Amino acid sequence: MTPAGALAPSAAPPAPRFLGQAEVAAWLGISIRTLRARRPALEAAGFPRPHPVVRRWDRVALDAWADAQMGRSADAAAAAVDSLFGIAA
């Protein structure tokens, strides 16, 4: 039996909310060097900037930016996932 509040052995820890430069580059599918080179142009086009205190990128903001680049709103993305699982809106 698992103690209260402990993760089951097969449960993965939650994904971190804030990502470092290497994680953002991997999220984009590019190298850190490419991210550094393209960052000014990306930010000029609306790419999220790192949080000023923690100096890391917010994963939720990155996902919203990616959805916007694909012409989808966050609500549309959530509705698409809900429809996969048969959840009525």
Side-chain angles (χ1 to χ4, degrees):
M1 182 149 213
T2 305
L7 291 177
S10 63
R17 171 75 185 252
F18 291 98
L19 306 176
Q21 188 174 38
E23 295 160 314
V24 171
W27 182 85
L28 287 167
I30 60 177
S31 69
I32 294 171
R33 185 177 186 169
T34 301
L35 175 61
R36 287 180 184 152
R38 294 183 183 170
R39 187 172 159 195
L42 283 166
E43 288 178 355
F47 189 77
R49 289 182 164 80
H51 187 280
V53 175
V54 297
R55 297 184 198 159
R56 295 172 73 83
W57 284 265
D58 181 352
R59 183 179 39 84
V60 174
L62 292 169
D63 287 339
W65 174 83
D67 287 340
Q69 297 305 301
M70 300 305 294
R72 295 172 41 182
S73 70
D75 290 336
V81 170
D82 287 350
S83 70
L84 288 173
F85 293 100
I87 300 170

